[in-house]
Amino acid sequence: MNKYITSFSLKRNRFIILGLSLFVVVSIYVLMFRVIDHRLHTLNKRILKEMSFEKSQLVQKEFDDFDRVFHLMGLAADEGQQKFMNKLIDQDSVRQFLIAYTYWRSDGLHFSKNLEWYADPKAIDPVIQSTILPEDFRKTKFIKSEKGMYLHVYVPTDKGVLQLTLDLHKLNAYFWAGNLGTRAYFEVYDANGICLIYPDEKEIGKKRIKSWKQYPVKNNLVMSDYILMEVLLDEYKFKGTFENNRLFVNVLLMLTEDDVRDIGNKTFLLGAIGIASMLFFMFLLDIENRKAKRLRLKNLEYQKEDALLRFENLKRKVDPHFLFNALGSLQQLIGKDTAQAKVFVGNMAKVYRKFLSGDESGLAPIKEELALAEEYFFMQKIRFVDTLNPLKINVTPEVMPLFIPKFSLQILIENAIKHNELSKEQPLSITIEEQEGRLVVRNTVLFKNPDMDAAGYGTKMIAHVYDFYQVQGFEIQHHDADFTVYLPFIHIDSR
């Protein structure tokens, strides 16, 4: 039952870990995607701003060119060189929309008309003919009649004021016939909010009725009345003659948004492929780990079976050897000390009974192992008498319930007696004590054969048991004066 519960628990833990891993990976991916998306939108907005500024610079450059021609015409008007003024008009792009000019010379107090010119004298619209110079001549003046819409532009000179009349329909045609950049269009309004330049000529001359959340307008996302799509709207200040007018640049979001969306979709796709690949490899890794775990369990089972087989083989070897030596010692003892012989027989029976006891775990409590060690040592003391010093044991009661490999103490005592030279002059000393979570078995050294390895078959069997239970700390130390074996405690949870 416990085996099935453990298996179910392992599977449940595996699914929990896998689910948590998936959750963490997806969360990181979503966070990463959001960061990338934010960065893309920031980049997109920056690109739009740069496009808007570029558009404003192109428009301003056009008006700067107009100002240059207007300024030269003003200088020529001061000198009365009308032919030169007309020649400038003919050779420049302003001829497409400049339909008249009037030069007002100043005497210090008043302005009087000095020069006048019309592109088509036969078709003069009376509304553009001026008899006086308006007082607010520093601002452009919008004029509308049944024949058309016009704009008076005033250029102050050293000796007077040059009044220029622009046909707004022709001015709009001039701008929209040219290419002032893609993905954007602009609007121009005078100080009173009258539309002067707009892609749709139907809007020319109309009062601006738009209201924006902030003014001046910067970084506004609005719905365009012209293309009926969302645009980024920015306002820029004119320089020169048109400085009192307002320039608005509209940058279309759609194309750059498509680019951003395309990048985002590709990023999402690559991320999804990455996650799928990672989950696939995690699945393969989990399969391999389970295979490796099953293999380790099989290997541990093989190790256990091997250790127990060695243990049983050792028992089969020890049993007749132990019985033969014990009976020989008993035969000698019967003739010398009958009472001692009786005690010897009792200990021999206890020891031999433990040899015959079956336990597949290969472990025994320290208390039982110490008792077996004392009983076994008593029998060896009877046999070897003064060549063995008394067995010294220093172990606290707290560790008695803990486990060590079965027969490990008896094996180490037997090895110490078997591999060392025994004499009354240098009796063999064996001690068993507790030290930092381990039993320490130490004996003095006087090997019968200097080349003999004291760590024989018995200690290898003990090592196999520790390997099976995956307990670290089993150690053998060989010095000139002593031979020491460290036996780690095996807690009940390790079984």
Side-chain angles (χ1 to χ4, degrees):
M1 181 68 178
N2 291 337
K3 179 179 179 181
Y4 293 118
I5 294 175
T6 303
S7 175
F8 173 76
S9 178
L10 288 173
K11 289 182 179 179
R12 183 187 62 186
N13 291 340
R14 186 183 298 114
F15 281 118
I16 290 174
I17 293 172
L18 186 61
L20 288 175
S21 302
L22 180 61
F23 174 76
V24 170
V25 169
V26 172
S27 299
I28 293 174
Y29 170 68
V30 171
L31 179 62
M32 179 188 69
F33 183 75
R34 288 177 65 88
V35 170
I36 293 174
D37 186 62
H38 179 265
R39 288 291 298 161
L40 287 173
H41 280 286
T42 302
L43 176 62
N44 178 51
K45 198 165 186 178
R46 189 177 73 188
I47 293 173
L48 293 173
K49 286 290 295 177
E50 290 175 355
M51 291 173 58
S52 177
F53 180 72
E54 177 187 356
K55 186 73 170 181
S56 71
Q57 292 297 97
L58 290 173
V59 175
Q60 181 64 59
K61 182 179 180 301
E62 289 290 328
F63 281 95
D64 287 343
D65 290 341
F66 301 159
D67 280 348
R68 177 182 55 81
V69 176
F70 297 160
H71 180 67
L72 290 175
M73 290 177 63
L75 293 176
D78 282 345
E79 301 299 326
Q81 298 180 15
Q82 189 170 14
K83 290 183 179 180
F84 181 72
M85 295 172 64
N86 295 341
K87 187 175 181 181
L88 285 173
I89 296 172
D90 291 337
Q91 293 179 353
D92 198 87
S93 56
V94 297
R95 70 180 183 277
Q96 299 181 44
F97 50 82
L98 180 60
I99 60 172
Y101 67 75
T102 303
Y103 175 67
W104 304 85
R105 185 177 290 274
S106 173
D107 59 6
L109 297 175
H110 304 284
F111 288 94
S112 59
K113 186 184 298 186
N114 187 261
L115 297 175
E116 194 172 36
W117 170 86
Y118 295 96
D120 186 4
K122 296 179 179 180
I124 299 174
D125 192 335
V127 298
I128 67 173
Q129 293 178 318
S130 303
T131 56
I132 59 171
L133 183 67
E135 294 181 359
D136 57 345
F137 62 83
R138 294 190 180 278
K139 296 182 180 179
T140 60
K141 183 179 181 181
F142 173 74
I143 302 172
K144 184 177 181 180
S145 71
E146 294 181 357
K147 291 185 177 182
M149 288 177 283
Y150 312 94
L151 186 69
H152 281 332
V153 178
Y154 301 93
V155 181
T157 67
D158 294 337
K159 299 178 181 180
V161 176
L162 177 63
Q163 175 184 299
L164 302 161
T165 305
L166 311 181
D167 187 314
L168 286 180
H169 288 291
K170 292 181 179 180
L171 181 64
N172 275 267
Y174 166 80
F175 276 111
W176 305 124
N179 184 12
L180 292 179
T182 58
R183 301 186 181 182
Y185 68 93
F186 68 97
E187 310 170 46
V188 177
Y189 297 87
D190 69 6
N192 297 317
I194 301 297
C195 181
L196 304 179
I197 301 177
Y198 196 83
D200 186 358
E201 284 197 3
K202 294 178 181 179
E203 297 297 319
I204 306 300
K206 292 183 179 180
K207 184 84 171 180
R208 184 182 63 200
I209 58 174
K210 297 178 182 176
S211 61
W212 291 291
K213 295 180 181 179
Q214 56 182 6
Y215 195 85
V217 180
K218 292 293 181 184
N219 301 328
N220 262 22
L221 292 177
V222 299
M223 183 62 66
S224 168
D225 295 333
Y226 174 55
I227 59 175
L228 301 179
M229 297 181 69
E230 197 171 31
V231 295
L232 179 70
L233 178 66
D234 279 295
E235 179 186 352
Y236 297 90
K237 185 174 180 59
F238 268 124
K239 300 176 184 177
T241 308
F242 288 81
E243 65 180 4
N244 292 313
N245 297 321
R246 300 191 180 278
L247 170 64
F248 298 91
V249 177
N250 301 265
V251 182
L252 183 62
L253 297 181
M254 182 183 67
L255 295 178
T256 47
E257 282 290 345
D258 286 345
D259 295 337
V260 171
R261 191 177 297 110
D262 183 59
I263 294 173
N265 290 339
K266 288 181 179 177
T267 303
F268 183 84
L269 179 62
L270 290 175
I273 293 174
I275 289 181
S277 301
M278 184 185 63
L279 292 176
F280 176 71
F281 284 116
M282 286 177 61
F283 176 72
L284 293 180
L285 183 62
D286 183 63
I287 292 176
E288 292 300 319
N289 286 339
R290 279 186 281 178
K291 288 182 179 179
K293 187 174 181 180
R294 285 196 295 267
L295 184 61
R296 285 197 300 271
L297 290 175
K298 288 183 180 179
N299 288 336
L300 289 175
E301 290 294 331
Y302 293 149
Q303 289 179 14
K304 179 178 179 181
E305 292 175 3
D306 180 68
L308 295 179
L309 180 62
R310 290 171 183 268
F311 182 71
E312 292 299 324
N313 289 337
L314 179 65
K315 284 175 60 178
R316 284 195 291 271
K317 289 182 179 180
V318 168
D319 290 351
H321 178 71
F322 167 78
L323 187 59
F324 176 78
N325 290 334
L327 289 175
S329 299
L330 180 61
Q331 184 180 10
Q332 296 177 3
L333 192 61
I334 289 175
K336 296 179 180 180
D337 189 342
T338 305
Q340 191 76 338
K342 291 181 180 180
V343 176
F344 184 89
V345 170
N347 281 350
M348 185 183 74
K350 292 178 182 179
V351 172
Y352 199 67
R353 187 182 302 111
K354 290 179 181 178
F355 281 164
L356 296 177
S357 64
D359 186 354
E360 294 183 356
S361 70
L363 301 178
I366 292 176
K367 181 177 181 180
E368 294 181 9
E369 287 297 294
L370 287 174
L372 175 62
E374 289 178 327
E375 293 162 355
Y376 179 78
F377 186 83
F378 171 79
M379 295 172 60
Q380 300 303 316
K381 181 69 175 173
I382 295 296
R383 179 181 175 189
F384 296 104
V385 197
D386 296 335
T387 60
L388 290 177
N389 284 329
L391 179 65
K392 295 181 180 180
I393 299 177
N394 184 19
V395 179
T396 60
E398 288 78 12
V399 303
M400 291 298 184
L402 303 180
F403 291 81
I404 56 175
K406 196 171 185 178
F407 301 137
S408 55
L409 297 181
Q410 182 270 326
I411 290 171
L412 295 177
I413 293 173
E414 182 180 4
N415 284 348
I417 295 173
K418 181 169 63 174
H419 295 305
N420 286 282
E421 193 73 44
L422 303 181
S423 65
K424 293 182 180 181
E425 292 75 16
Q426 290 182 308
L428 180 69
S429 295
I430 302 176
T431 61
I432 302 174
E433 59 185 355
E434 174 190 349
Q435 188 180 98
E436 297 179 356
R438 297 187 292 185
L439 280 187
V440 181
V441 182
R442 182 179 291 108
N443 63 267
T444 54
V445 172
L446 187 61
F447 288 145
K448 296 177 182 178
N449 182 358
D451 297 328
M452 182 179 295
D453 183 8
Y457 180 83
T459 52
K460 291 181 180 179
M461 186 277 293
I462 297 172
H464 276 297
V465 175
Y466 278 116
D467 287 341
F468 170 71
Y469 286 101
Q470 298 181 344
V471 176
Q472 305 295 321
F474 176 72
E475 186 179 358
I476 298 175
Q477 294 183 358
H478 183 195
H479 303 289
D480 294 337
D482 56 53
F483 181 85
T484 307
V485 179
Y486 295 87
L487 302 173
F489 302 149
I490 301 176
H491 296 268
I492 191 67
D493 293 340
S494 302
R495 295 189 64 179

